[in-house]
């Protein structure tokens, strides 16, 4: 998807506006790198005191001009729908110069243990691999990978505030009618809905449609099952 992501984000935010408050940027000399940081928790939110214009902060550059950039966060794991959401965010939400943060939340694993879900669940390997994929796909977008142990919802809320994220993107898997009849909503779907309702930024749930249908179903606080063909 070429061009600015602004019109799409304004549409998905229901016309109520979305804000970028990120002030945490890597050096422009690092355009060919991505960053992987392992953390155990987050800090409190610093005060937001930069002016905002139509959802984007304005920054001065070395030539005295103004540039607009935003931070987009994607919660990633080893599932296919997580990767679909990451690629959708990369192609539909980020613009040149934006920062894409891949947040991999892992459970507490005993030393030397790979966990029940395999090695990806307890190591930064997955985040590094996905970061490399994003950087190869769009070199003009800064990519950062964070690996954090903790409860999923609380960690997402904390990191969105700490990093002053503009847009959070979450993958949603296609529902199984049979499973819904007997089990109700899955824990992953409940997590996405909780993020949409509680996270303090524009939060987008992305579900890739089947090959026969094409496109994506998008969910936000203001739009439900919005069909995006592109």
């Amino acid at each position: 998807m070429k061009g600015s992501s602004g019109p799409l984000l304004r549409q998905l935010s229901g016309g109520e506006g979305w804000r970028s408050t990120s002030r945490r940027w890597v050096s422009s000399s690092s355009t060919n790198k991505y960053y992987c940081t392992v953390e155990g928790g987050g800090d409190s939110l610093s005060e937001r005191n930069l002016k905002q214009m139509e959802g984007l902060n304005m920054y001065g550059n070395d030539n005295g001009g103004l540039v607009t950039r935003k931070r987009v966060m994607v919660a990633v794991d080893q599932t296919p729908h997580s990767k679909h959401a990451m690629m959708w965010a990369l192609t539909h939400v980020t613009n040149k110069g934006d920062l894409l943060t891949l947040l991999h939340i892992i459970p507490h694993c005993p030393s030397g243990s790979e966990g029940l879900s395999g090695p990806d669940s307890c190591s930064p390997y997955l985040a590094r691999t996905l970061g490399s994929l994003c950087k190869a796909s769009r070199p003009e977008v800064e990519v950062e990978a964070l690996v954090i142990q903790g409860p999923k919802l609380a960690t997402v809320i904390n990191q969105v505030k700490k990093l002053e994220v503009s847009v959070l993107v979450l993958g949603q898997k296609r529902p199984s009618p049979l499973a819904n009849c007997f089990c109700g909503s899955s824990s992953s779907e409940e997590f996405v809905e909780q993020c949409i309702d509680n996270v303090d930024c524009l939060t987008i749930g992305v579900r890739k449609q089947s090959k026969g249908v094409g496109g994506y179903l998008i969910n936000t606080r203001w739009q439900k099952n919005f069909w995006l063909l592109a």
Side-chain angles (χ1 to χ4, degrees):
M1 179 177 179
K2 298 180 179 180
S4 173
S5 60
L8 173 63
L9 297 179
R10 284 193 294 272
Q11 184 176 11
L12 295 179
S13 66
E16 294 192 15
W18 57 281
R19 302 186 304 168
S20 171
T21 54
S22 178
R23 299 193 297 269
R24 183 172 178 267
W25 294 101
V26 294
S27 169
S28 60
S29 63
S30 59
T31 54
N32 294 321
K33 300 178 181 179
Y34 75 91
Y35 301 84
C36 184
T37 305
V38 181
E39 300 184 8
D43 301 328
S44 60
L45 174 64
S46 60
E47 291 190 3
R48 304 172 181 180
N49 56 14
L50 293 185
K51 293 182 179 179
Q52 299 162 351
M53 171 176 272
E54 200 177 7
L56 292 175
N57 277 340
M58 303 189 71
Y59 301 83
N61 59 24
D62 293 338
N63 297 321
L66 290 175
V67 293
T68 57
R69 302 187 289 189
K70 62 182 179 293
R71 180 191 291 271
V72 179
M73 176 177 284
V74 183
V76 298
D77 54 33
Q78 57 268 47
T79 60
H81 53 271
S82 167
K83 185 177 179 180
H84 293 155
M86 179 191 74
M87 297 308 297
W88 184 87
L90 190 65
T91 57
H92 288 73
V93 182
T94 59
N95 298 319
K96 181 179 180 180
D98 287 346
L99 177 58
L100 178 66
T101 300
L102 306 180
L103 175 63
H104 184 200
I105 303 171
I106 59 177
H108 176 72
C109 296
S111 178
S113 171
E114 291 186 347
L116 297 177
S117 300
D120 285 349
S121 63
C122 294
S123 79
Y125 173 78
L126 175 68
R128 289 199 300 261
T129 301
L130 294 177
S132 297
L133 175 62
C134 291
K135 200 61 190 173
S137 300
R138 291 198 66 188
E140 71 275 18
V141 175
E142 297 288 353
V143 182
E144 175 188 58
L146 299 178
V147 183
I148 300 177
Q149 284 187 339
K152 290 180 68 175
L153 180 61
T155 300
V156 168
I157 292 175
N158 180 275
Q159 291 301 310
V160 165
K161 291 182 177 180
K162 176 185 176 182
L163 303 179
E164 300 175 335
V165 171
S166 305
V167 185
L168 172 67
V169 179
L170 305 165
Q172 292 183 287
K173 62 181 179 180
R174 289 193 292 270
S176 169
L178 183 61
N180 287 344
C181 288
F182 290 98
C183 304
S185 300
S186 67
S187 59
S188 62
E189 290 302 294
E190 290 178 354
F191 166 69
V192 173
E193 290 300 323
Q194 289 173 336
C195 287
I196 289 175
D197 291 338
N198 295 287
V199 173
D200 189 23
C201 73
L202 173 59
T203 303
I204 305 173
V206 179
R207 177 183 297 126
K208 188 175 183 179
Q209 295 282 65
S210 62
K211 292 182 179 180
V213 178
Y216 297 86
L217 280 182
I218 307 299
N219 288 287
T220 69
R221 196 173 300 174
W222 304 273
Q223 301 278 2
K224 299 299 180 182
N225 294 323
F226 177 81
W227 184 28
L228 184 66
L229 184 57

